[in-house]
Amino acid sequence: SQQAYTSVVPVGTRVYAFSGQGGGSVAMDVGGTGDVSETHVVWTSNVNATYASTVFYQSRLCVFSRGVLSIIDADTGERLQQLRLKGAGITGNARFGSLDYASPVIAGERLYSLNASGQMYVYDLAGEVRQLSVNEITTDKEIFWGSPAVSQGNMVLRSSKHLYCVTDKGNTVTPTAVAEAAVATSDPAAAEASPAGGTQRYRRGRGSRGTGQQNTAGDPRPERPQRPVSADG
């Protein structure tokens, strides 16, 4: 059978690994020689990921799998919270729609998770984790496989058709700034998608859904997606 393997999460001298489908998870201390299964395993769990890699935040692990976010205590492996992703709309991407190919990212105290249809879930990580909103990046039939990148207050997203740059409300984004942010993904093709020079106009995508709560100042704001368009728009 086919299997997916997400990236391991290293924190100090410990690593956390979550299987893609059905294999559970494990926390292990690094070091030692030979078979250290008995001496270095800290905990095991039946919590799985699917495609998105797990992220670590303040002694907690955030694991997305098949429309569910699990918050795991990094020290014990205990599942602290389990939240079903709410508010996503039905799109034309029936085959891929809700799959979590992209890994989540953290900016400030916000967790951002993008599904394959281009719907961005936003969570507040301060205290008990709670969903703030779900925002639609585009109404076009596009697939989002790549993980978002955050650079200098901008969030860069790449779909099967376009490169998007999301910024704070009221900010002006030049092609140069978009290219610089894209370079942070180590993806030359993404950087070339927005050549330097001049100022482009941007077309706004559809607005936020869900609770509709706004993000705090200074965080990237996926509820205001923007896409470069040609001068004749």
Side-chain angles (χ1 to χ4, degrees):
S1 62
Q2 293 182 341
Q3 182 61 280
Y5 301 96
T6 63
S7 300
V8 298
V9 180
V11 181
T13 58
R14 185 166 295 173
V15 294
Y16 304 90
F18 290 79
S19 91
Q21 298 177 25
S25 48
V26 62
M28 295 190 66
D29 288 330
V30 299
T33 57
D35 186 348
V36 295
S37 302
E38 298 296 327
T39 58
H40 286 56
V41 172
V42 180
W43 53 257
T44 60
S45 169
N46 61 1
V47 176
N48 302 306
T50 305
Y51 301 105
S53 295
T54 297
V55 294
F56 178 92
Y57 181 78
Q58 293 186 354
S59 77
R60 294 175 291 178
L61 297 156
C62 303
V63 188
F64 283 92
S65 180
R66 300 187 182 279
V68 174
L69 168 60
S70 295
I71 307 299
I72 308 300
D73 186 307
D75 294 326
T76 66
E78 176 188 0
R79 194 194 316 247
L80 303 175
Q81 288 181 257
Q82 188 173 25
L83 300 88
R84 185 162 296 279
L85 281 61
K86 298 178 180 179
I90 299 174
T91 72
N93 297 322
R95 182 179 177 187
F96 302 102
S98 63
L99 291 180
D100 47 281
Y101 289 119
S103 296
V105 296
I106 294 175
E109 293 185 328
R110 298 288 186 266
L111 174 68
Y112 300 90
S113 177
L114 181 68
N115 71 13
S117 293
Q119 297 168 18
M120 179 73 79
Y121 295 89
V122 184
Y123 291 86
D124 182 7
L125 296 178
E128 187 174 39
V129 177
R130 58 193 180 94
Q131 183 176 330
L132 298 179
S133 62
V134 57
N135 310 294
E136 192 169 53
I137 303 301
T138 178
T139 57
D140 293 345
K141 190 175 181 180
E142 304 176 32
I143 301 173
F144 289 77
W145 283 307
S147 301
V150 177
S151 175
Q152 299 180 1
N154 301 313
M155 180 178 287
V156 178
L157 311 167
R158 187 177 184 180
S159 75
S160 54
K161 295 182 179 180
H162 298 100
L163 179 69
Y164 294 85
C165 181
V166 182
T167 188
D168 282 332
K169 179 180 178 180
N171 284 3
T172 299
V173 181
T174 66
T176 301
V178 175
E180 289 175 350
V183 168
T185 68
S186 299
D187 188 345
E192 291 172 1
S194 183
T199 301
Q200 289 180 312
R201 292 188 297 114
Y202 291 82
R203 186 167 63 205
R204 197 176 292 171
R206 290 182 64 181
S208 166
R209 287 192 300 223
T211 64
Q213 181 170 339
Q214 299 296 308
N215 296 325
T216 57
D219 288 339
R221 298 194 177 200
E223 65 271 23
R224 300 187 64 83
Q226 300 171 333
R227 185 178 69 203
V229 296
S230 61
D232 56 8

